[in-house]
DNA sequence: TTAGTGATATCC
DNA sequence: GATATCACTAAA
């Protein structure tokens, strides 16, 4: 079932690992529906996080991160690649989760290329959009934390945070996630 | 390893 | 108005 607003209204450090293993559903303009399981996410958390776009304050580009949880934030990186994020947490607190990879689509740029995601989805709601949303099919996976990548400009302290979450082995019914 | 690409932010 | 920067990828 489609994830609800309460799922995204939590801290990005809770949402990011929870999104791993969920299903990303994309409906193309021609009606084709693609479903990919999310394999890797990263949390970007507030103005204190020097790796977060919003750490220098609110700008035209980052104002979406200050908005409501569940807004889709798509931005162009290196002039070529569209990266897909979802806003999380409370309003006026800039944080979000980057969807970094799905099963069979490794790399955020490849992911959005495969799903034909671009700027027109920026600042749309993941609850009401008919083009893109996330579902939970009940499966649970082990979560493997790791350091974030591609943030060489961030502070040493922030680079060391284990705010990247990768999909591990599938868990049996009732089995708890081990830390 | 290196080049390419273009929106954004920052500097004149 | 101009330019430096960048959460990447593909080709070699």
């Amino acid at each position: 079932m489609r994830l609800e607003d309460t799922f995204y209204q939590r801290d990005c450090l809770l949402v990011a690992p929870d999104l791993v293993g969920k299903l990303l559903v994309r409906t193309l303009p021609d009606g084709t529906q693609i479903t990919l399981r999310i394999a890797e996410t990263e949390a970007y958390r507030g103005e204190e996080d020097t790796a977060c776009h919003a750490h220098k304050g609110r700008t035209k580009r980052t104002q979406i991160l200050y908005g409501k949880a569940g807004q889709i934030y798509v931005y162009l990186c290196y002039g070529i690649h569209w990266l897909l994020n979802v806003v999380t947490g409370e309003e006026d607190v800039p944080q979000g989760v980057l969807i970094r990879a799905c099963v069979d689509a490794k790399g955020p740029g490849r992911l959005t290329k495969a799903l034909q995601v671009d700027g027109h989805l920026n600042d749309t709601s993941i609850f009401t959009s008919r083009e893109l949303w996330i579902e939970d099919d009940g499966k649970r996976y082990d979560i493997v934390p790791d350091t974030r990548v591609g943030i060489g400009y961030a502070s040493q302290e922030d680079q060391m945070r284990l705010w990247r979450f990768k999909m591990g082995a599938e868990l049996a019914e009732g089995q708890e996630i081990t830390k």
Side-chain angles (χ1 to χ4, degrees):
Chain A
M1 71 184 198
R2 190 147 156 170
L3 295 178
E4 298 176 357
D5 52 357
T6 53
F7 181 91
Y8 301 98
Q9 284 163 0
R10 300 173 297 153
D11 192 282
C12 61
L13 292 178
L14 298 173
V15 177
D18 269 6
L19 278 177
V20 174
K22 297 289 187 291
L23 295 174
L24 186 64
V25 184
R26 165 76 171 130
T27 303
L28 300 181
D30 68 2
T32 310
Q33 192 158 301
I34 302 174
T35 303
L36 292 176
R37 192 171 302 277
I38 297 171
E40 202 173 319
T41 63
E42 282 182 17
Y44 287 89
R45 189 167 189 265
E47 293 175 357
E48 278 72 55
D49 178 8
T50 54
C52 180
H53 278 173
H55 85 273
K56 283 183 177 171
R58 192 187 293 239
T59 67
K60 189 178 180 184
R61 179 209 211 176
T62 59
Q63 61 182 351
I64 298 166
L65 291 170
Y66 290 80
K68 281 185 302 192
Q71 288 300 105
I72 298 168
Y73 172 42
V74 180
Y75 71 92
L76 190 63
C77 173
Y78 297 118
I80 306 175
H81 309 290
W82 293 102
L83 301 208
L84 176 63
N85 303 250
V86 185
V87 177
T88 65
E90 296 176 26
E91 208 165 339
D92 292 326
V93 178
Q95 50 169 249
V97 174
L98 167 69
I99 311 291
R100 173 159 269 286
C102 282
V103 175
D104 288 338
K106 204 173 93 188
R110 294 175 150 216
L111 170 70
T112 49
K113 189 179 172 188
L115 294 179
Q116 296 179 37
V117 165
D118 60 31
H120 82 276
L121 284 173
N122 193 29
D123 202 16
T124 57
S125 170
I126 207 164
F127 308 122
T128 57
S129 174
R130 284 186 292 117
E131 298 198 58
L132 186 75
W133 66 91
I134 297 173
E135 292 187 358
D136 182 1
D137 67 351
K139 290 195 175 182
R140 294 291 177 271
Y141 294 83
D142 204 15
I143 306 296
V144 184
D146 204 348
T147 54
R148 294 178 290 179
V149 296
I151 53 168
Y153 56 87
S155 71
Q156 278 277 301
E157 195 183 1
D158 282 329
Q159 288 191 47
M160 288 174 54
R161 299 185 195 284
L162 298 176
W163 286 359
R164 181 156 63 114
F165 303 96
K166 296 189 286 192
M167 188 174 79
E170 184 176 351
L171 299 178
E173 182 122 7
Q175 186 180 354
E176 292 300 318
I177 291 176
T178 54
K179 283 198 173 179

